[in-house]
Amino acid sequence: MRLVIAEDSALFREGLANLLTDAGHQIVAAVGDAQEAVRETRKLVPDVLICDVRMPPEMTDDGARAALELRREFPRLGIVLLSQRIETTHTARLVPGGYFAYQLKDRVLDVNEFLGTLNHIREGGTALDPELVLELIGAARTQRALELLTPREHEVLAFMAEGRTNLGIAQRLWLTERTVETHVGNILSKLDLPVTPADHRRVLAVITYLQTQGTDQGLTG
């Protein structure tokens, strides 16, 4: 996998580059600010951009804004945002299209999990840190909403959380794809998710489910 790393901490940047190189990935660029990240990504078109949220030149949310800018140009570019704090303004706009992960830096300690995240988003998946989940949906209403689901809808939602398509869920549960579509529609309705593009609502349904499972693995969807 060809990767661009954008991180202003030289120590963290080099450590991450060494880790990923040892895992067999190719670091095509390692830069220290958001503007360089945009330039190098446009020039090299990597498989995945790993980018810190808070970077020069402004040291605010430069990395998140750079990621959003690149997403418009490269819809299937894998993007991993790393941060020491939660940023939702731009992140929420990156979730719907997939190919996206948001990880807090202190959680990027499990090497195998992080490498798995890279592979997952390269294939179009999404991986969100649980703390971001709590910002995107209200934890207080989550459990109450899930209690409205039928046992079959819980099964369907669990398979959605594994990243399965409607067809994949249908094959596992011996249902027609149309029946699964109906169950998914009911799930989205009962969870009372914001009216947004369909893929976004599906992602939010999955993170609702995972947040109540007490997972520390982030989102897979």
Side-chain angles (χ1 to χ4, degrees), residues 176-191:
T176 65
E177 189 173 2
R178 179 61 62 85
T179 298
V180 173
E181 289 175 359
T182 298
H183 285 313
V184 171
N186 290 339
I187 290 167
L188 298 179
S189 176
K190 290 180 179 180
L191 294 183

Side-chain angles (χ1 to χ4, degrees), residues 36-167:
E36 283 186 277
V38 172
R39 285 196 299 269
E40 292 301 307
T41 300
R42 283 173 174 159
K43 180 174 68 177
L44 300 168
V45 192
D47 298 309
V48 174
L49 165 67
I50 302 173
C51 188
D52 191 7
V53 168
R54 187 173 183 175
M55 297 181 67
E58 297 178 16
M59 292 301 294
T60 55
D61 56 2
D62 301 64
R65 285 187 281 118
L68 190 58
E69 180 180 345
L70 289 166
R71 167 62 78 235
R72 297 189 188 103
E73 300 177 38
F74 306 100
R76 295 192 177 185
L77 168 69
I79 294 175
V80 179
L81 285 184
L82 300 177
S83 182
Q84 293 179 330
R85 62 185 180 86
I86 295 298
E87 192 284 332
T88 59
T89 303
H90 303 292
T91 302
R93 298 166 65 185
L94 288 163
V95 172
Y99 298 92
F100 177 67
Y102 189 104
Q103 302 283 309
L104 291 182
K105 285 185 177 180
D106 60 4
R107 297 188 197 273
V108 188
L109 300 176
D110 187 322
V111 175
N112 290 331
E113 182 181 334
F114 186 66
L115 294 175
T117 295
L118 291 180
N119 290 327
H120 181 63
I121 68 164
R122 182 67 189 98
E123 296 172 357
T126 306
L128 302 182
D129 188 277
E131 288 191 28
L132 179 64
V133 171
L134 294 176
E135 294 288 336
L136 292 176
I137 55 175
R141 70 185 179 97
T142 298
Q143 187 60 50
R144 293 196 300 272
L146 285 173
E147 289 172 357
L148 299 175
L149 303 185
T150 66
R152 177 63 85 186
E153 288 165 353
H154 273 284
E155 285 184 297
V156 170
L157 183 53
F159 280 121
M160 289 167 61
E162 293 180 6
R164 298 185 184 277
T165 63
N166 287 352
L167 177 59

